[in-house]
Amino acid sequence: YEFTRAVTRKPGSSIIDGLRAEDLGTPDLERMLAAHASYVATLRETGAEVIELPPLEAFPDSVFVEDTALCLHEGAILMRPGAESRAGEVAEMAPTLRALYDEVVAIEGPGTIEGGDILTTSREILVGRSARTDAAGVAELSRLAGRWGYAVREVFTPEGVLHFKTDCSLIGPNTILSTRRLAASGCFEGYDVVFTADGEEAAANAIRFNRLVLMAAGFPATAAKLRAAGYDVREIDNSECAKLDGGMSCLSLRF
Ligand code: CIR
């Protein structure tokens, strides 16, 4: 969770057409822009450089940049999204990553995989199979990241949950914030797990970014629990991204 850089993309007015599992109302662009600005400012507060890309109106979900790539120390791996309307976002991200990394490789398929299903810890890369990420996608990632010495472990995202990281985040060297429903599969054996408070499952999609934990506002019991454990927690308005099943991790690539 120590990063010198992040890449984000501003939401555009096409955000109202973003994918969602359930209709929770139309996202309000002004409010989303304000929340996005405070997200970017909070990342910058830690001393990191944040590269903000311009909106891409042709891709309503392109604010959720995390799904387009996996950024590791040795290089970046371009994803192959399982959502058809999002496939073109990868080519839009590629030039930025090629300018920052010596090595950029790509998932060629036929499998699919999205960054939201990937949790990198200090000892391994956990990849949750989901409606967006299939076995072939995990296998190809395993081959690509394996060349750089990473161990990839396939796990499973619960039914009805968009991405693996919708339900968990790495908040300390060996500590994971998780919902009970995800951890119940046993996927975090060997890690210390902090559970989201009951009814606050949506707080799990947080990020540890240098000294800060960024989490969605509106989950007071989980925020209090993290603060009591010594974390420096920042709560960011996530009301509009939540309408599109997005959260803190989705909004940036961090490396
Ligand atoms: C989608 O369904 O693809 C977007 N509306 C939300 C993507 C959220 N991304 C993430 O969790 N990494």
Side-chain angles (χ1 to χ4, degrees), residues 18-21 61 64 66-67 83 86 114-117 132 162-163 165-166 205 241 244-247 249-251:
L19 299 172
R20 67 207 81 179
D61 283 297
F64 303 118
E66 170 175 69
D67 295 315
R86 304 199 57 193
E114 298 189 355
D117 282 314
R132 303 284 181 85
L162 174 60
H163 285 129
K165 272 188 298 181
T166 303
N205 182 265
C241 288
L244 302 174
D245 309 319
S249 79
C250 328
L251 296 173

Side-chain angles (χ1 to χ4, degrees), residues 142-178:
S142 185
R143 286 195 295 277
L144 292 174
R147 293 199 320 218
W148 293 325
Y150 291 91
V152 170
R153 177 155 65 97
E154 181 183 82
V155 289
F156 293 87
T157 305
E159 191 73 40
V161 174
L162 174 60
H163 285 129
F164 185 65
K165 272 188 298 181
T166 303
D167 267 33
C168 68
S169 44
L170 183 79
I171 56 168
N174 195 49
T175 307
I176 287 169
L177 174 68
S178 175

Side-chain angles (χ1 to χ4, degrees), residues 62-139:
S62 56
V63 65
F64 303 118
V65 287
E66 170 175 69
D67 295 315
T68 63
L70 174 65
C71 293
L72 297 167
H73 179 70
E74 295 79 358
I77 302 176
L78 299 172
M79 298 286 111
R80 191 163 181 271
E84 228 172 279
S85 67
R86 304 199 57 193
E89 292 175 31
V90 176
E92 299 284 348
M93 179 58 70
T96 301
L97 296 178
R98 288 192 209 285
L100 296 168
Y101 275 108
D102 289 338
E103 214 171 339
V104 177
V105 296
I107 301 283
E108 305 286 355
T112 63
I113 180 164
E114 298 189 355
D117 282 314
I118 306 175
L119 181 75
T120 306
T121 77
S122 56
R123 66 179 115 121
E124 61 182 342
I125 298 176
L126 289 158
V127 190
R129 274 180 43 191
S130 69
R132 303 284 181 85
T133 294
D134 61 18
V138 181

Side-chain angles (χ1 to χ4, degrees), residues 24 27-28 31-32 35 216-217 236-244 246:
L24 303 170
D28 178 277
R31 185 166 176 183
M32 193 186 284
I236 313 268
D237 174 22
N238 192 53
S239 61
E240 305 316 292
C241 288
K243 293 174 183 167
L244 302 174

